[in-house]
Amino acid sequence: MTNLDHGKFSRATTLFHSLLALTVFMLFFTGYSVAFHDELWWLVSLMGGTRGVLAVHRLAGFTLIVLTGVWVPYMLLRSASRSNFTDILPAVDDVWAFVQDVKFALGWADERHSAAKQFAGNKAGETPLVSYIGKGVIWIFTVELVLLMVTGVLIWRKPLLIGYFNSPSAAMAFVAFHGLLGVIMLMGVMFHTFEHGFHPAFYPVEMKAFVPKDRMPNFHGDPDEYDTTGIERLRLKPSWRWATNVFAIMVVVGIASVLLASIDYGGYPVPAFLQFNEGSLLRTVGINIGMLVLLVGLLLSVYGNVLRTRYRRQRERADEATATDGGSPELADGGSRDATEGADGGHGGAGDPP
């Protein structure tokens, strides 16, 4: 790790992030197994048929509701969390950051706006906690999750909906809207996995989502003592280029296949009916590639937690050695290859100092 890989989240937030990811991935796997059961017949069989899939889907849905119900009050009650809440609120600088990013992409600006810099080689103190893109991700995911939970509970009790609106089509409208949200969130999760799993500086896992900020190297000692962020010491992993290209193609194919299948089944961009037609071979391959992308995201989340545990143990050993020898921990400046190599597994696409 280097000072570039500065921490963002508290210990509780990293734990919540992992639990939320596991729950959302299970909702995707089960939800799309129901929607596209012809294409994902193997996944339906693996979970014990349609009844098993629905049971797991509902269990994951209620788990999501419980997680959210615990997390929101917890964040509101903690003074530190309330103070950080302002960091994710939209600001005027975010608008200018977006405008300058467009200019930068077109070659009309020399650099990105300070409110947009996350991986541009800044020190932790010079980088915003969340860029305007990060704020957008947080708020979009929040709205989507809330609407998915509400519509999920409602369509679970479809007879009540039909009785209340006195129309079966009302229940189908909620089903379609629930599916629409699922398709939109599927695209977001795929791009989120690609962005944070295949960024050249952090490939294959961005550790700031798993390691609490108080355990990150740059939070030990005076950050001003570092002349640079360490970005000049990073080197690309040999597998990054081909892995990124392959995964990018998989993301595009997966998203396009789900959208096209939804259109072909009679609705846009979600099926209009609960019973679907036989799927084509091409569509079957594409949708399964999309599920493979989600599986990679789930495995990266698990891998990140494994690295977190390994890194924590190494930090504890380094702290014990410091207490015994009276010296300074090697991990304090993030510059010890021996102490961090096992934790990041070569992570940092770039990763370790030479």
Side-chain angles (χ1 to χ4, degrees):
M1 293 182 181
T2 69
N3 194 41
L4 175 66
D5 201 9
H6 57 84
K8 279 187 178 182
F9 306 125
S10 66
R11 192 179 306 273
T13 303
T14 58
L15 177 60
F16 173 76
H17 178 273
S18 297
L19 293 175
L20 180 65
L22 176 61
T23 304
V24 169
F25 280 124
M26 290 308 300
L27 286 169
F28 275 134
F29 289 133
T30 53
Y32 284 107
S33 295
V34 174
F36 306 120
H37 56 81
D38 285 324
E39 290 82 0
L40 298 172
W41 58 269
W42 61 273
L43 194 53
V44 176
S45 300
L46 188 64
M47 288 185 279
T50 304
R51 181 171 296 182
V53 171
L54 289 174
V56 176
H57 189 75
R58 289 166 181 167
L59 177 61
F62 282 114
T63 302
L64 177 62
I65 293 174
V66 171
L67 277 175
T68 307
V70 172
W71 178 251
V72 173
Y74 175 78
M75 295 296 290
L76 293 177
L77 291 175
R78 292 179 70 244
S79 57
S81 300
R82 290 198 304 271
S83 63
N84 287 335
F85 181 75
T86 56
D87 293 322
I88 64 173
L89 293 176
V92 176
D93 279 347
D94 296 326
V95 178
W96 293 116
F98 170 74
V99 172
Q100 188 162 328
D101 263 3
V102 174
K103 293 181 178 179
F104 181 74
L106 296 174
W108 299 346
D110 295 332
E111 62 178 7
R112 301 184 68 187
H113 192 278
S114 58
K117 293 180 178 179
Q118 289 287 301
F119 309 119
N122 301 64
K123 293 185 179 181
E126 302 170 348
T127 307
L129 178 66
V130 184
S131 69
Y132 77 92
I133 299 176
K135 292 179 182 180
V137 170
I138 291 173
W139 286 107
I140 290 173
F141 272 37
T142 299
V143 172
E144 286 179 338
L145 286 175
V146 171
L147 292 176
L148 280 169
M149 287 186 287
V150 172
T151 55
V153 171
L154 290 175
I155 63 178
W156 177 51
R157 308 304 299 174
K158 285 189 287 291
L160 294 179
L161 280 176
I162 295 173
Y164 182 79
F165 290 100
N166 196 27
S167 172
S169 54
M172 293 307 303
F174 277 98
V175 171
F177 184 59
H178 187 76
L180 169 62
L181 292 171
V183 171
I184 295 174
M185 193 166 185
L186 171 72
M187 293 187 286
V189 169
M190 285 188 176
F191 282 123
H192 188 71
T193 301
F194 179 79
E195 176 189 8
H196 293 278
F198 291 84
H199 189 282
F202 305 117
Y203 166 81
V205 176
E206 184 182 349
M207 288 304 295
K208 62 168 61 90
F210 302 97
V211 178
K213 59 185 178 182
D214 62 337
R215 305 300 291 175
M216 280 292 191
N218 63 284
F219 274 78
H220 300 270
D222 184 5
D224 293 333
E225 69 181 282
Y226 306 113
D227 295 330
T228 69
T229 62
I231 193 172
E232 76 285 347
R233 298 195 303 245
L234 299 177
R235 65 178 185 274
L236 287 175
K237 288 183 66 66
S239 60
W240 172 78
R241 189 177 302 278
W242 68 262
T244 300
N245 291 332
V246 170
F247 195 77
I249 293 173
M250 290 170 58
V251 169
V252 173
V253 170
I255 292 175
S257 298
V258 170
L259 289 174
L260 293 176
S262 299
I263 296 171
D264 187 62
Y265 278 141
Y268 180 79
V270 295
F273 307 96
L274 293 179
Q275 299 296 326
F276 307 133
N277 303 320
E278 294 294 329
S280 68
L281 177 61
L282 184 61
R283 187 168 60 222
T284 298
V285 172
I287 290 177
N288 277 274
I289 288 177
M291 293 303 103
L292 181 58
V293 171
L294 295 180
L295 179 60
V296 170
L298 176 60
L299 293 178
L300 288 179
S301 179
V302 173
Y303 182 55
N305 280 285
V306 171
L307 295 183
R308 168 172 54 186
T309 302
R310 187 183 301 173
Y311 180 69
R312 178 178 55 81
R313 291 175 180 173
Q314 291 178 349
R315 285 279 338 163
E316 291 173 352
R317 287 198 296 269
D319 292 342
E320 291 175 0
T322 302
T324 302
D325 301 337
S328 58
E330 289 184 328
L331 284 174
D333 61 0
S336 171
R337 178 184 179 91
D338 294 336
T340 58
E341 183 176 23
D344 62 23
H347 128 93
D352 307 310

